[in-house]
Amino acid sequence: MITNIGSILAEKLEGKEVALRGWMHRTRTSGSMVFAVMRDPTGIMQITVKKDKVDSKSWKDASDSYVESSFTVRGKVAKDERAPGGYEIQASDFTTISRGEPFPIAKDLSEEFLLDVRHLWMRSQKMTNIMKARHHIVNYLREFFEEDGFYEMAPPIITRSGCEGGSTLFEVDYFGEKAYLTQSSQMYAEVFVFSLGKVYVLAPSFRAEKSRTIRHLAEYWHLEPEMAFYDYKMNMDLQESMVKYVVKKMVEEKPDLLKACGREPEDLRATIVKPFERMEYEVAVEEVNGLGGKMEFGQDFGADEEALLTKGAETPLFVTRFPKEIKAFYMKEDPQNPEFVLNNDLLAPVGHGEIIGGSERIWQYDELVARMKEQKLEPKDYQWYLDLRRYGSVPHSGYGLGIERLCKWVLNLEHIRDAIPFPRTINRCYP
Ligand code: ATP
Ligand code: MG
Protein backbone atom coordinates (compact mmCIF):
# COMPACT_ATOMS: atom_id res chain seq x y z
CA MET A 1 0.00 0.00 0.00
CA ILE A 2 1.53 3.33 -1.06
CA THR A 3 0.76 5.83 1.63
CA ASN A 4 2.29 8.99 3.04
CA ILE A 5 4.03 9.94 6.25
CA GLY A 6 1.13 11.98 7.61
CA SER A 7 -1.25 9.01 7.30
CA ILE A 8 1.14 6.67 9.08
CA LEU A 9 1.39 9.11 12.00
CA ALA A 10 -2.34 9.87 12.06
CA GLU A 11 -3.63 6.33 11.60
CA LYS A 12 -0.99 4.66 13.76
CA LEU A 13 -0.29 1.94 11.21
CA GLU A 14 2.01 0.05 13.60
CA GLY A 15 2.95 -3.41 12.34
CA LYS A 16 1.59 -2.73 8.83
CA GLU A 17 3.58 -3.07 5.61
CA VAL A 18 3.68 0.25 3.78
CA ALA A 19 5.39 1.93 0.86
CA LEU A 20 6.44 5.58 0.84
CA ARG A 21 7.77 7.87 -1.87
CA GLY A 22 9.81 10.86 -0.89
CA TRP A 23 13.16 12.57 -0.50
CA MET A 24 16.17 12.06 1.74
CA HIS A 25 16.07 14.61 4.55
CA ARG A 26 19.08 13.28 6.49
CA THR A 27 21.16 10.16 6.25
CA ARG A 28 23.91 8.45 8.18
CA THR A 29 25.51 5.05 7.61
CA SER A 30 27.01 3.14 10.49
CA GLY A 31 28.49 -0.27 9.65
CA SER A 32 25.70 -2.41 8.30
CA MET A 33 22.90 0.08 9.04
CA VAL A 34 21.60 3.15 7.24
CA PHE A 35 19.70 5.59 9.45
CA ALA A 36 17.72 7.76 7.10
CA VAL A 37 15.04 10.37 7.53
CA MET A 38 12.62 10.64 4.64
CA ARG A 39 10.50 13.68 3.98
CA ASP A 40 7.36 13.92 1.91
CA PRO A 41 4.79 16.71 1.64
CA THR A 42 3.11 15.51 4.84
CA GLY A 43 6.03 15.14 7.26
CA ILE A 44 9.27 13.36 8.11
CA MET A 45 9.84 9.70 8.99
CA GLN A 46 12.81 7.75 10.27
CA ILE A 47 13.85 4.76 8.18
CA THR A 48 16.29 2.04 9.10
CA VAL A 49 17.86 -0.11 6.42
CA LYS A 50 19.76 -3.17 7.67
CA LYS A 51 22.23 -4.72 5.24
CA ASP A 52 21.19 -8.28 6.12
CA LYS A 53 17.44 -7.54 5.77
CA VAL A 54 17.45 -6.20 2.19
CA ASP A 55 18.84 -7.31 -1.17
CA SER A 56 22.15 -5.95 -2.39
CA LYS A 57 20.55 -3.45 -4.81
CA SER A 58 18.48 -1.93 -1.97
CA TRP A 59 21.52 -1.76 0.26
CA LYS A 60 23.55 -0.01 -2.45
CA ASP A 61 20.76 2.47 -3.19
CA ALA A 62 20.27 3.27 0.49
CA SER A 63 23.91 3.64 1.40
CA ASP A 64 24.72 5.70 -1.72
CA SER A 65 21.85 8.18 -1.26
CA TYR A 66 22.56 11.88 -0.99
CA VAL A 67 20.51 14.36 0.95
CA GLU A 68 17.56 15.17 -1.40
CA SER A 69 17.91 11.98 -3.46
CA SER A 70 14.39 10.75 -4.24
CA PHE A 71 13.41 7.18 -3.44
CA THR A 72 10.73 4.62 -2.66
CA VAL A 73 10.89 2.58 0.49
CA ARG A 74 8.86 -0.47 1.55
CA GLY A 75 8.81 -1.87 5.03
CA LYS A 76 7.08 -2.37 8.35
CA VAL A 77 5.91 0.44 10.62
CA ALA A 78 7.39 0.07 14.11
CA LYS A 79 7.18 2.17 17.25
CA ASP A 80 10.35 4.03 18.17
CA GLU A 81 10.21 6.56 20.97
CA ARG A 82 13.32 8.38 19.72
CA ALA A 83 12.07 8.83 16.16
CA PRO A 84 10.37 12.09 15.07
CA GLY A 85 6.65 11.34 15.37
CA GLY A 86 7.34 8.18 17.40
CA TYR A 87 7.44 5.67 14.49
CA GLU A 88 9.98 4.33 12.04
CA ILE A 89 9.96 2.19 8.93
CA GLN A 90 12.08 -0.94 9.00
CA ALA A 91 12.94 -1.25 5.34
CA SER A 92 12.53 -4.43 3.31
CA ASP A 93 13.18 -2.63 0.01
CA PHE A 94 14.81 0.68 -0.89
CA THR A 95 14.72 1.90 -4.51
CA THR A 96 16.30 5.12 -5.64
CA ILE A 97 14.19 7.16 -8.07
CA SER A 98 16.85 9.79 -8.75
CA ARG A 99 20.10 9.98 -6.84
CA GLY A 100 20.99 13.37 -8.34
CA GLU A 101 24.06 15.31 -7.29
CA PRO A 102 25.27 16.27 -3.82
CA PHE A 103 22.82 18.88 -2.50
CA PRO A 104 24.39 22.36 -2.29
CA ILE A 105 22.62 23.35 0.93
CA ALA A 106 24.27 22.10 4.11
CA LYS A 107 24.34 23.73 7.54
CA ASP A 108 25.31 27.31 8.44
CA LEU A 109 24.97 28.95 5.05
CA SER A 110 24.53 32.69 4.70
CA GLU A 111 21.12 34.29 4.12
CA GLU A 112 22.34 35.57 0.75
CA PHE A 113 23.34 32.09 -0.40
CA LEU A 114 20.00 30.68 0.71
CA LEU A 115 18.28 33.39 -1.35
CA ASP A 116 20.41 32.45 -4.37
CA VAL A 117 19.24 28.85 -4.08
CA ARG A 118 15.73 29.76 -2.97
CA HIS A 119 14.27 27.25 -5.44
CA LEU A 120 16.03 24.48 -3.50
CA TRP A 121 15.66 26.09 -0.06
CA MET A 122 11.89 25.79 -0.59
CA ARG A 123 12.35 22.09 0.25
CA SER A 124 13.49 22.93 3.82
CA GLN A 125 11.18 22.13 6.71
CA LYS A 126 11.17 25.82 7.64
CA MET A 127 9.90 26.99 4.25
CA THR A 128 7.59 24.01 3.82
CA ASN A 129 5.86 24.88 7.10
CA ILE A 130 5.59 28.57 6.24
CA MET A 131 4.20 27.84 2.77
CA LYS A 132 1.60 25.50 4.26
CA ALA A 133 0.62 28.14 6.81
CA ARG A 134 0.40 30.82 4.13
CA HIS A 135 -1.89 28.56 2.11
CA HIS A 136 -4.23 28.12 5.09
CA ILE A 137 -4.22 31.83 5.94
CA VAL A 138 -5.22 32.73 2.38
CA ASN A 139 -7.90 30.01 2.34
CA TYR A 140 -9.38 31.22 5.62
CA LEU A 141 -9.47 34.76 4.27
CA ARG A 142 -11.37 33.58 1.20
CA GLU A 143 -13.67 31.52 3.42
CA PHE A 144 -14.41 34.60 5.52
CA PHE A 145 -15.42 36.66 2.49
CA GLU A 146 -17.38 33.79 0.97
CA GLU A 147 -19.43 33.43 4.16
CA ASP A 148 -20.08 37.17 4.18
CA GLY A 149 -21.44 37.27 0.62
CA PHE A 150 -18.47 38.89 -1.17
CA TYR A 151 -17.54 38.26 -4.81
CA GLU A 152 -13.91 37.90 -5.86
CA MET A 153 -12.94 40.00 -8.89
CA ALA A 154 -9.95 39.85 -11.23
CA PRO A 155 -8.18 43.19 -11.75
CA PRO A 156 -5.75 44.19 -14.48
CA ILE A 157 -2.07 44.13 -13.53
CA ILE A 158 -0.90 46.56 -16.24
CA THR A 159 -2.45 49.98 -15.77
CA ARG A 160 -2.27 53.54 -17.04
CA SER A 161 -1.97 55.40 -13.75
CA GLY A 162 -0.92 54.74 -10.20
CA CYS A 163 -2.99 55.43 -7.13
CA GLU A 164 -0.40 55.48 -4.35
CA GLY A 165 2.01 58.10 -5.68
CA GLY A 166 4.48 58.16 -8.56
CA SER A 167 7.71 57.42 -6.73
CA THR A 168 7.13 53.67 -6.39
CA LEU A 169 5.72 52.92 -9.84
CA PHE A 170 7.29 50.29 -12.07
CA GLU A 171 7.13 51.41 -15.66
CA VAL A 172 6.32 49.00 -18.50
CA ASP A 173 6.83 49.55 -22.20
CA TYR A 174 3.31 48.84 -23.45
CA PHE A 175 3.62 48.56 -27.24
CA GLY A 176 5.62 51.75 -27.32
CA GLU A 177 3.52 53.59 -24.73
CA LYS A 178 4.09 54.08 -21.03
CA ALA A 179 2.14 51.89 -18.65
CA TYR A 180 2.71 50.71 -15.09
CA LEU A 181 2.50 47.60 -12.97
CA THR A 182 -0.39 48.09 -10.57
CA GLN A 183 0.36 49.44 -7.08
CA SER A 184 -3.13 48.61 -5.86
CA SER A 185 -6.31 47.21 -7.37
CA GLN A 186 -8.54 49.39 -5.24
CA MET A 187 -9.82 51.60 -8.02
CA TYR A 188 -10.82 48.56 -10.07
CA ALA A 189 -12.44 46.93 -7.03
CA GLU A 190 -14.51 50.12 -6.62
CA VAL A 191 -16.02 49.53 -10.08
CA PHE A 192 -17.84 46.47 -8.71
CA VAL A 193 -19.29 48.20 -5.66
CA PHE A 194 -21.89 49.52 -8.11
CA SER A 195 -22.91 46.12 -9.43
CA LEU A 196 -21.98 43.44 -6.91
CA GLY A 197 -22.08 45.42 -3.66
CA LYS A 198 -19.35 43.65 -1.75
CA VAL A 199 -16.24 42.51 -3.58
CA TYR A 200 -12.57 41.76 -3.03
CA VAL A 201 -9.51 41.41 -5.15
CA LEU A 202 -6.57 39.18 -4.24
CA ALA A 203 -3.73 39.99 -6.60
CA PRO A 204 -0.13 41.13 -6.66
CA SER A 205 0.72 44.79 -6.17
CA PHE A 206 4.05 46.24 -7.24
CA ARG A 207 5.94 48.96 -5.44
CA ALA A 208 9.42 50.07 -6.38
CA GLU A 209 10.44 50.33 -2.71
CA LYS A 210 13.93 51.73 -2.77
CA SER A 211 14.75 51.20 0.89
CA ARG A 212 15.58 47.85 2.40
CA THR A 213 13.32 47.05 5.32
CA ILE A 214 12.08 43.86 6.93
CA ARG A 215 8.51 44.59 5.77
CA HIS A 216 8.64 45.94 2.25
CA LEU A 217 8.67 43.86 -0.90
CA ALA A 218 8.68 45.16 -4.46
CA GLU A 219 5.98 42.61 -5.33
CA TYR A 220 3.43 41.50 -2.74
CA TRP A 221 -0.03 39.95 -2.59
CA HIS A 222 -2.69 42.43 -1.77
CA LEU A 223 -6.20 41.67 -0.58
CA GLU A 224 -8.51 44.58 -1.31
CA PRO A 225 -12.18 44.48 -0.28
CA GLU A 226 -14.56 47.29 -1.25
CA MET A 227 -18.11 47.57 0.10
CA ALA A 228 -21.14 49.65 -0.91
CA PHE A 229 -22.82 51.63 1.86
CA TYR A 230 -20.09 50.95 4.43
CA ASP A 231 -18.90 53.92 6.45
CA TYR A 232 -15.46 53.96 7.95
CA LYS A 233 -16.59 52.43 11.26
CA MET A 234 -18.26 49.51 9.49
CA ASN A 235 -15.06 49.23 7.49
CA MET A 236 -13.03 48.83 10.68
CA ASP A 237 -15.53 46.36 12.13
CA LEU A 238 -15.11 44.25 9.01
CA GLN A 239 -11.31 44.38 9.24
CA GLU A 240 -11.46 43.35 12.87
CA SER A 241 -13.82 40.42 12.20
CA MET A 242 -11.66 39.29 9.29
CA VAL A 243 -8.45 39.30 11.35
CA LYS A 244 -10.19 37.57 14.27
CA TYR A 245 -11.63 34.92 11.93
CA VAL A 246 -8.30 34.02 10.37
CA VAL A 247 -6.38 34.06 13.63
CA LYS A 248 -9.03 31.93 15.38
CA LYS A 249 -8.97 29.37 12.57
CA MET A 250 -5.18 29.15 12.67
CA VAL A 251 -5.07 28.85 16.47
CA GLU A 252 -7.86 26.29 16.69
CA GLU A 253 -7.25 24.25 13.56
CA LYS A 254 -3.51 24.57 12.87
CA PRO A 255 -1.80 25.01 16.26
CA ASP A 256 1.04 22.59 15.46
CA LEU A 257 1.81 24.37 12.22
CA LEU A 258 1.88 27.71 14.05
CA LYS A 259 4.34 26.26 16.56
CA ALA A 260 6.47 24.81 13.79
CA CYS A 261 6.68 28.29 12.25
CA GLY A 262 7.77 29.85 15.54
CA ARG A 263 4.47 31.24 16.81
CA GLU A 264 3.08 30.21 20.19
CA PRO A 265 -0.69 29.87 19.48
CA GLU A 266 -1.59 31.16 22.95
CA ASP A 267 0.07 34.49 22.14
CA LEU A 268 -2.69 35.04 19.56
CA ARG A 269 -5.56 34.28 21.96
CA ALA A 270 -6.15 37.92 22.95
CA THR A 271 -6.57 38.89 19.29
CA ILE A 272 -9.47 36.44 19.05
CA VAL A 273 -11.34 37.55 22.19
CA LYS A 274 -10.47 41.18 22.92
CA PRO A 275 -11.73 44.19 20.97
CA PHE A 276 -9.00 46.05 19.06
CA GLU A 277 -8.26 49.49 20.46
CA ARG A 278 -9.07 52.44 18.14
CA MET A 279 -6.88 55.50 18.59
CA GLU A 280 -7.09 58.77 16.69
CA TYR A 281 -3.97 59.94 14.86
CA GLU A 282 -3.50 62.97 17.12
CA VAL A 283 -3.68 60.84 20.26
CA ALA A 284 -1.28 58.33 18.71
CA VAL A 285 1.26 61.08 17.97
CA GLU A 286 1.12 62.21 21.61
CA GLU A 287 1.45 58.63 22.74
CA VAL A 288 4.57 58.13 20.60
CA ASN A 289 6.12 61.33 21.92
CA GLY A 290 5.26 60.33 25.49
CA LEU A 291 7.19 57.12 24.93
CA GLY A 292 10.32 58.94 23.82
CA GLY A 293 9.56 59.29 20.10
CA LYS A 294 9.92 62.57 18.21
CA MET A 295 6.94 63.13 15.94
CA GLU A 296 5.40 66.29 14.65
CA PHE A 297 1.82 66.74 13.61
CA GLY A 298 1.52 65.81 9.93
CA GLN A 299 4.17 63.12 9.92
CA ASP A 300 3.37 59.49 9.19
CA PHE A 301 4.37 56.69 11.53
CA GLY A 302 7.54 54.88 10.56
CA ALA A 303 8.65 51.49 11.79
CA ASP A 304 10.09 52.94 15.02
CA GLU A 305 6.93 54.86 15.86
CA GLU A 306 4.74 51.84 15.09
CA ALA A 307 6.95 49.76 17.36
CA LEU A 308 6.51 52.28 20.21
CA LEU A 309 2.74 52.30 19.74
CA THR A 310 2.43 48.53 19.80
CA LYS A 311 5.06 47.68 22.38
CA GLY A 312 3.63 44.97 24.61
CA ALA A 313 0.31 45.08 22.71
CA GLU A 314 -1.75 41.90 22.84
CA THR A 315 -4.00 42.73 19.91
CA PRO A 316 -3.68 44.81 16.74
CA LEU A 317 -4.29 48.55 17.11
CA PHE A 318 -6.35 50.82 14.85
CA VAL A 319 -4.97 54.30 14.26
CA THR A 320 -7.70 56.48 12.76
CA ARG A 321 -8.35 59.89 11.18
CA PHE A 322 -5.01 60.90 9.70
CA PRO A 323 -4.27 64.41 8.43
CA LYS A 324 -5.59 64.78 4.92
CA GLU A 325 -2.33 65.94 3.37
CA ILE A 326 -0.42 62.75 4.12
CA LYS A 327 -3.09 60.43 2.74
CA ALA A 328 -4.26 59.40 -0.72
CA PHE A 329 -6.61 61.61 -2.71
CA TYR A 330 -9.57 59.22 -2.62
CA MET A 331 -10.02 59.23 1.18
CA LYS A 332 -13.13 60.99 2.44
CA GLU A 333 -12.80 64.08 4.57
CA ASP A 334 -14.04 63.94 8.14
CA PRO A 335 -17.12 66.24 8.02
CA GLN A 336 -16.55 67.27 11.64
CA ASN A 337 -12.92 68.07 11.09
CA PRO A 338 -12.00 68.70 7.45
CA GLU A 339 -8.24 68.64 8.05
CA PHE A 340 -8.58 64.90 8.63
CA VAL A 341 -9.81 61.90 6.65
CA LEU A 342 -12.05 58.97 7.62
CA ASN A 343 -9.34 56.35 7.41
CA ASN A 344 -7.53 53.79 9.47
CA ASP A 345 -4.30 51.87 9.59
CA LEU A 346 -4.23 48.59 11.48
CA LEU A 347 -0.95 47.94 13.29
CA ALA A 348 0.00 44.40 14.29
CA PRO A 349 1.28 43.84 17.84
CA VAL A 350 4.84 44.26 19.05
CA GLY A 351 6.44 45.98 16.12
CA HIS A 352 5.22 43.81 13.23
CA GLY A 353 3.86 47.07 11.86
CA GLU A 354 1.06 48.13 9.54
CA ILE A 355 -0.92 45.27 8.04
CA ILE A 356 -3.95 47.17 6.71
CA GLY A 357 -4.70 50.63 5.34
CA GLY A 358 -8.37 51.50 4.80
CA SER A 359 -10.79 54.39 4.38
CA GLU A 360 -14.18 55.64 3.45
CA ARG A 361 -13.89 56.74 -0.19
CA ILE A 362 -14.91 60.07 -1.66
CA TRP A 363 -18.06 59.12 -3.55
CA GLN A 364 -19.18 62.48 -4.92
CA TYR A 365 -17.82 63.86 -8.17
CA ASP A 366 -17.16 67.49 -7.20
CA GLU A 367 -15.47 66.57 -3.96
CA LEU A 368 -13.18 64.11 -5.73
CA VAL A 369 -12.19 66.60 -8.44
CA ALA A 370 -11.49 69.26 -5.81
CA ARG A 371 -9.25 66.90 -3.82
CA MET A 372 -7.37 65.84 -6.93
CA LYS A 373 -6.62 69.47 -7.72
CA GLU A 374 -5.48 70.05 -4.11
CA GLN A 375 -3.07 67.15 -4.51
CA LYS A 376 -1.87 68.36 -7.93
CA LEU A 377 -3.36 65.37 -9.75
CA GLU A 378 -4.82 65.72 -13.23
CA PRO A 379 -8.53 64.73 -13.29
CA LYS A 380 -8.12 63.82 -16.96
CA ASP A 381 -5.74 61.02 -15.93
CA TYR A 382 -8.54 59.50 -13.87
CA GLN A 383 -11.50 59.86 -16.23
CA TRP A 384 -12.86 56.37 -15.82
CA TYR A 385 -12.50 56.53 -12.04
CA LEU A 386 -14.36 59.84 -11.98
CA ASP A 387 -17.10 58.30 -14.14
CA LEU A 388 -17.92 55.99 -11.24
CA ARG A 389 -18.99 59.17 -9.40
CA ARG A 390 -20.95 60.55 -12.33
CA TYR A 391 -23.57 57.83 -12.61
CA GLY A 392 -25.49 56.70 -9.55
CA SER A 393 -22.63 56.84 -7.07
CA VAL A 394 -23.08 55.63 -3.48
CA PRO A 395 -21.04 55.93 -0.28
CA HIS A 396 -18.54 53.10 0.09
CA SER A 397 -15.41 52.03 1.92
CA GLY A 398 -12.60 49.57 1.51
CA TYR A 399 -9.13 48.55 2.59
CA GLY A 400 -5.91 46.86 1.56
CA LEU A 401 -4.28 44.04 3.50
CA GLY A 402 -0.74 42.87 2.73
CA ILE A 403 -0.83 39.05 2.77
CA GLU A 404 2.88 38.79 3.58
CA ARG A 405 2.56 41.39 6.36
CA LEU A 406 -0.28 39.35 7.87
CA CYS A 407 1.76 36.14 7.58
CA LYS A 408 4.83 37.82 9.07
CA TRP A 409 2.87 38.74 12.16
CA VAL A 410 0.70 35.61 12.55
CA LEU A 411 3.68 33.30 12.02
CA ASN A 412 6.05 35.56 13.96
CA LEU A 413 8.61 35.72 11.13
CA GLU A 414 11.65 37.93 11.41
CA HIS A 415 11.56 39.12 7.82
CA ILE A 416 8.75 39.58 5.30
CA ARG A 417 10.75 37.80 2.58
CA ASP A 418 10.06 34.44 4.25
CA ALA A 419 6.32 34.97 3.87
CA ILE A 420 6.59 34.69 0.07
CA PRO A 421 8.37 32.01 -1.97
CA PHE A 422 10.38 34.28 -4.27
CA PRO A 423 10.83 37.69 -2.67
CA ARG A 424 11.39 40.64 -4.98
CA THR A 425 13.43 43.41 -3.41
CA ILE A 426 15.61 46.27 -4.60
CA ASN A 427 18.60 44.01 -5.06
CA ARG A 428 16.98 40.74 -6.09
CA CYS A 429 14.67 39.31 -8.73
CA TYR A 430 16.36 35.90 -9.07
CA PRO A 431 15.51 33.02 -8.92
P1 ATP B 1 3.93 51.39 4.51
O1 ATP B 1 3.68 52.70 5.20
O2 ATP B 1 4.26 50.28 5.45
O3 ATP B 1 4.87 51.52 3.36
P2 ATP B 1 1.66 51.90 2.88
O4 ATP B 1 1.01 52.98 3.65
O5 ATP B 1 2.50 52.24 1.72
O6 ATP B 1 2.53 50.97 3.88
P3 ATP B 1 -0.80 51.03 1.65
O7 ATP B 1 -0.51 51.77 0.42
O8 ATP B 1 -1.88 51.51 2.55
O9 ATP B 1 0.55 50.82 2.49
O10 ATP B 1 -1.05 49.50 1.26
C1 ATP B 1 -1.97 48.66 1.95
C2 ATP B 1 -1.28 47.50 2.62
O11 ATP B 1 -0.40 46.84 1.70
C3 ATP B 1 -0.36 47.90 3.77
O12 ATP B 1 -1.10 48.05 4.95
C4 ATP B 1 0.57 46.70 3.84
O13 ATP B 1 -0.06 45.62 4.52
C5 ATP B 1 0.71 46.30 2.40
N1 ATP B 1 1.96 46.84 1.81
C6 ATP B 1 2.18 48.09 1.37
N2 ATP B 1 3.40 48.22 0.82
C7 ATP B 1 3.95 46.98 0.91
C8 ATP B 1 5.21 46.44 0.49
N3 ATP B 1 6.10 47.19 -0.14
N4 ATP B 1 5.47 45.14 0.72
C9 ATP B 1 4.55 44.36 1.33
N5 ATP B 1 3.35 44.80 1.75
C10 ATP B 1 3.05 46.10 1.54
MG1 MG C 1 4.53 52.43 1.51
Side-chain angles (χ1 to χ4, degrees), residues 17 294 385:
E17 286 289 328
K294 286 199 179 58
Y385 187 65

Side-chain angles (χ1 to χ4, degrees), residues 25-304:
H25 184 55
R26 281 196 293 273
T27 177
R28 172 168 73 81
T29 305
S30 139
S32 55
M33 255 318 236
V34 171
F35 296 94
V37 176
M38 176 190 253
R39 65 167 186 82
D40 77 3
T42 62
I44 60 173
M45 173 66 69
Q46 178 171 300
I47 289 163
T48 50
V49 187
K50 282 190 183 151
K51 192 172 181 179
D52 58 0
K53 292 272 163 58
V54 295
D55 61 22
S56 59
K57 170 79 167 46
S58 286
W59 174 252
K60 186 170 185 325
D61 278 8
S63 51
D64 281 353
S65 263
Y66 293 129
V67 165
E68 289 307 316
S69 294
S70 51
F71 63 97
T72 303
V73 65
R74 283 170 208 286
K76 195 149 84 182
V77 180
K79 256 211 159 80
D80 179 0
E81 302 286 296
R82 295 154 303 171
Y87 292 91
E88 68 165 13
I89 307 291
Q90 296 168 344
S92 52
D93 182 89
F94 186 112
T95 304
T96 295
I97 301 170
S98 166
R99 182 181 181 224
E101 298 175 32
F103 200 58
I105 303 177
K107 278 207 161 63
D108 302 326
L109 293 165
S110 73
E111 275 302 323
E112 275 310 299
F113 178 77
L114 292 178
L115 286 164
D116 287 339
V117 294
R118 190 83 172 167
H119 50 298
L120 301 175
W121 182 233
M122 281 300 128
R123 301 183 188 192
S124 64
Q125 290 299 294
K126 174 180 171 176
M127 293 315 301
T128 300
N129 287 325
I130 295 174
M131 290 305 125
K132 284 181 182 173
R134 179 189 163 114
H135 160 85
H136 293 305
I137 287 172
V138 169
N139 267 356
Y140 291 141
L141 285 167
R142 284 210 161 92
E143 198 174 277
F144 172 82
F145 287 108
E146 182 68 22
E147 285 178 10
D148 208 359
F150 279 70
Y151 289 95
E152 181 174 354
M153 283 299 111
I157 300 297
I158 302 172
T159 63
R160 262 280 177 264
S161 51
C163 72
E164 299 298 328
S167 64
T168 63
L169 279 172
F170 279 108
E171 204 175 296
V172 195
D173 174 359
Y174 193 72
F175 306 111
E177 281 191 55
K178 260 191 206 173
Y180 305 97
L181 295 180
T182 187
Q183 291 172 306
S184 157
S185 300
Q186 176 202 316
M187 289 160 63
Y188 292 96
E190 282 183 68
V191 169
F192 295 98
V193 156
F194 305 100
S195 54
L196 300 170
K198 297 197 288 188
V199 296
Y200 71 93
V201 161
L202 178 54
S205 281
F206 303 86
R207 309 243 173 134
E209 305 280 6
K210 280 159 201 114
S211 53
R212 282 183 225 185
T213 79
I214 55 167
R215 48 203 172 96
H216 287 91
L217 295 164
E219 177 183 297
Y220 70 97
W221 285 76
H222 204 173
L223 179 93
E224 299 182 275
E226 230 26 71
M227 300 77 63
F229 303 111
Y230 272 51
D231 66 16
Y232 99 112
K233 285 212 180 92
M234 295 162 77
N235 193 25
M236 279 193 279
D237 292 344
L238 183 73
Q239 293 166 48
E240 184 166 343
S241 322
M242 176 196 73
V243 169
K244 283 184 150 72
Y245 183 92
V246 172
V247 167
K248 185 168 193 273
K249 285 280 184 172
M250 289 302 288
V251 167
E252 289 179 357
E253 293 181 20
K254 308 288 170 197
D256 295 340
L257 193 53
L258 284 176
K259 277 192 203 140
C261 291
R263 164 62 74 191
E264 192 46 57
E266 278 315 303
D267 294 348
L268 295 171
R269 187 69 65 184
T271 293
I272 303 172
V273 296
K274 293 193 180 166
F276 299 177
E277 193 184 342
R278 299 177 183 194
M279 189 187 281
E280 291 199 4
Y281 168 88
E282 282 188 290
V283 177
V285 170
E286 275 171 33
E287 188 100 343
V288 165
N289 289 339
L291 290 166
K294 286 199 179 58
M295 267 188 88
E296 277 171 35
F297 179 86
Q299 278 182 323
D300 207 348
F301 305 95
D304 293 344

